[in-house]
Amino acid sequence: MKLIFLDIDGTLTKPGENIPPDSAVNAINKAREKGNKVFLCTGRNPDMLRPLLKYKFDGIISCAGGYVAIGEDCSEVLYDHPMTDEQRDIALKALHDEGVFCTIEAEKGSWGDENLGDFLSSQGEGNSEIERWRKALSENLGIKPMSQYDGSPVYKVVIMCTKMEQLNKAKAALGDEFNFVMQEVKVGGSESHCINGEIINKCFNKGLGVKIIAEKFNVPIEDTIGFGDSMNDLEMIQTVGTSVCMANGSEALKKLSDIVCPSVSDDGLAKAFEDLHLI
């Protein structure tokens, strides 16, 4: 039996979407029928990944490792580590003081700042591309306005800003307890760009989630396989026995992976499952 771990955005689906290619769904079903177990391993919280559960998986590593559960209904929770209320409040105040746009993610919901227009006003040419991107994520992933936040425990903060320096206050306030996983996003082919990323507790990561599930099923790490596309998959890629990066993925991650398979839009998962004799 192999344990297979799949990132969602850019790996199982196109970023921000909830419908995987038919070829990927068929490959997952065949792999499970053969006796393997397949898990989602994602930065998304359980609420954001919920639309994908209808395709049948054996469990989830969500919130970038902060929430781990097994079973098709994810009813058996193996790990649950949200931020403290104090950490959440410190992070949001420090980020908002510097004009950083924030989304907070809990188990059953996500909430985003409502001042996107103010943020975009500083972006110059290409604003419409950022706005379309953000609206698409909000609609597809169910992000609600921050004013509706119900106080639920938060696992991570997703952030958007224009300069790395805007994060310095939050980094100082949170000390060495959190990783700031950031990337620059170019906008619409122009010179405009923004900084996008996540604040993730150092107590967990996707790789630790893989180890928790492997231990639960008494499967050696060498019999685990991980599929990802970006540097937020790094710990998973470094942990699994066989690591696979999508062709549409980060060049840095490709160099660290054992295998590069075709892109998510070119039936990459299905082809890799065949090559690895998972189906």
Side-chain angles (χ1 to χ4, degrees):
M1 178 175 68
K2 304 290 186 182
L3 304 183
I4 305 163
F5 298 89
L6 306 178
D7 174 52
I8 296 176
D9 297 285
T11 302
L12 177 61
T13 71
K14 294 180 181 179
E17 296 189 2
N18 288 319
I19 302 176
D22 290 341
S23 62
V25 175
N26 291 334
I28 291 166
N29 291 337
K30 290 178 181 178
R32 295 183 71 215
E33 289 168 2
K34 194 173 179 180
N36 302 300
K37 293 187 180 296
V38 184
F39 304 86
L40 295 175
C41 186
T42 177
R44 292 193 191 188
N45 62 1
D47 185 61
M48 286 183 176
L49 64 77
R50 202 168 307 281
L52 287 157
L53 295 182
K54 66 181 181 182
Y55 298 106
K56 306 298 183 182
F57 297 91
D58 295 289
I60 60 172
I61 298 171
S62 64
C63 303
Y67 187 91
V68 180
I70 58 173
E72 287 188 0
D73 58 356
C74 304
S75 59
E76 185 176 350
V77 178
L78 303 183
Y79 186 80
D80 186 5
H81 194 111
M83 303 171 77
T84 66
D85 290 350
E86 181 181 16
Q87 289 171 331
R88 175 200 65 205
D89 293 343
I90 288 172
L92 287 178
K93 184 180 187 308
L95 293 165
H96 285 153
D97 283 350
E98 298 299 315
V100 178
F101 188 86
C102 301
T103 298
I104 53 176
E105 298 183 4
E107 178 190 350
K108 296 181 179 179
S110 302
W111 298 267
D113 287 333
E114 298 161 73
N115 62 335
L116 179 58
D118 294 338
F119 172 79
L120 292 176
S121 68
S122 65
Q123 293 296 289
E125 184 182 356
N127 290 353
S128 60
E129 294 296 328
I130 297 179
E131 189 166 17
R132 278 195 290 272
W133 174 69
R134 184 67 197 183
K135 283 182 177 178
L137 289 182
S138 296
E139 292 170 2
N140 290 337
L141 303 182
I143 300 172
K144 298 179 285 290
M146 190 71 80
S147 60
Q148 297 178 15
Y149 173 51
D150 63 5
S152 299
V154 169
Y155 291 82
K156 63 188 178 75
V157 183
V158 179
I159 51 184
M160 186 188 297
C161 58
T162 58
K163 298 177 181 178
M164 287 291 189
E165 291 77 13
Q166 290 173 272
L167 307 179
N168 290 342
K169 186 172 182 178
K171 289 179 178 179
L174 292 171
D176 61 354
E177 298 176 334
F178 289 82
N179 287 317
F180 284 66
V181 183
M182 309 303 301
Q183 59 185 345
E184 182 176 312
V185 179
K186 293 184 179 180
V187 182
S190 69
E191 295 300 318
S192 298
H193 70 279
C194 68
I195 306 299
N196 184 60
E198 303 172 328
I199 301 177
I200 301 174
N201 200 313
K202 289 184 178 180
C203 290
F204 57 76
N205 57 57
K206 290 183 178 183
L208 290 176
V210 169
K211 291 179 180 178
I212 289 169
I213 289 179
E215 182 176 347
K216 173 67 177 179
F217 289 100
N218 196 29
V219 171
I221 285 295
E222 54 262 34
D223 288 331
T224 62
I225 303 169
F227 291 77
D229 71 295
S230 68
M231 291 305 286
N232 61 16
D233 297 311
L234 176 62
E235 288 85 0
M236 174 185 69
I237 291 296
Q238 291 175 326
T239 300
V240 293
T242 302
S243 54
V244 186
C245 184
M246 311 303 289
N248 52 274
S250 159
E251 293 302 318
L253 195 70
K254 290 177 186 177
K255 293 177 182 178
L256 297 170
S257 300
D258 298 316
I259 298 168
V260 176
C261 73
S263 70
V264 61
S265 58
D266 192 27
D267 299 321
L269 281 185
K271 293 174 181 177
F273 274 40
E274 289 182 7
D275 291 343
L276 292 168
H277 308 292
L278 298 174
I279 57 179

